[in-house]
Amino acid sequence: AMAAGCVGPERQQLFSDKKAALEIARSAVNVPAYSPQQLKAQGFSVNMDGVRRSLMDLIAMPDVGWAGACRIMPELASTRADVVEQIEIEARYRGYIDRQDADIRAFRKDESMTLPAKLDYADVGGLSTEVRTKLAKARPATLGAAARIPGVTPAALTALLRHVKKSPSARLPANAA
């Protein structure tokens, strides 16, 4: 929007200021610097598993939050409220986002997996009738091609992948044939 001239200079400055404040806050809270013993000594209840934790890890804990992070690093107390809110949201949802990123990486790895030409989609558990019909009609050659069929959900792709991985003849990438 800035490059297209849709945002005025005042709004650009607000965006730039918030972006810079977020970068500073993220760099302060994302360093895994605290051992369980250090955190316990500060009054935090954490697993004594030897894993060093960042302030971001602590912020994600419901009983800690930003206020708890400020107990360890008092200079965080002067952070803008909108930046605190964004960091807390990122901390809370980081686990879900990390899992989703891992799922995406795994799918990209398996995207070129060929689907057997005679695959009976009725045998694939977890597929809706609509998805089964669409796959049977389109007969996609690869898992990636199946993903591009409108209405084929990520859950359906996961079920299809799981089913196909059981069949040794379906494990070759499309370009290996």
Side-chain angles (χ1 to χ4, degrees):
M2 289 186 273
C6 298
V7 176
E10 187 176 305
R11 185 107 171 137
Q12 283 183 27
Q13 189 61 49
L14 289 172
F15 175 79
S16 296
D17 291 348
K18 183 174 181 180
K19 185 178 174 186
L22 273 167
E23 287 174 12
I24 291 167
R26 283 183 186 127
S27 67
V29 299
N30 274 314
V31 178
Y34 304 96
S35 70
Q37 292 79 12
Q38 290 171 313
L39 294 171
K40 186 174 182 174
Q42 295 258 355
F44 294 100
S45 176
V46 296
N47 287 336
M48 300 305 284
D49 53 9
V51 175
R52 296 182 78 76
R53 289 172 175 76
S54 67
L55 290 177
M56 187 69 115
D57 296 328
L58 292 178
I59 292 166
M61 298 169 72
D63 56 332
V64 178
W66 189 264
C70 290
R71 284 187 7 225
I72 294 175
M73 190 180 282
E75 57 270 28
L76 291 176
S78 63
T79 305
R80 296 170 28 173
D82 59 337
V83 171
V84 169
E85 179 183 29
Q86 181 135 359
I87 296 290
E88 287 182 320
I89 290 167
E90 289 174 13
R92 207 170 301 129
Y93 291 101
R94 184 171 63 179
Y96 300 108
I97 292 168
D98 290 346
R99 260 183 266 134
Q100 192 171 44
D101 286 344
D103 289 345
I104 290 167
R105 284 191 303 277
F107 175 76
R108 286 195 176 130
K109 185 181 104 189
D110 293 324
E111 188 175 24
S112 62
M113 178 182 285
T114 56
L115 300 177
K118 295 182 181 184
L119 178 61
D120 184 359
Y121 293 100
D123 292 341
V124 181
L127 296 182
S128 68
T129 303
E130 176 189 4
V131 169
R132 280 191 175 106
T133 303
K134 287 181 176 192
L135 289 168
K137 183 177 178 183
R139 309 280 330 151
T142 65
L143 192 63
R148 290 184 281 283
I149 297 171
V152 176
T153 64
L157 291 170
T158 301
L160 183 58
L161 176 63
R162 198 174 305 123
H163 179 81
V164 172
K165 279 193 170 183
K166 291 178 187 176
S167 170
S169 63
R171 294 186 184 169
L172 296 174
N175 57 4

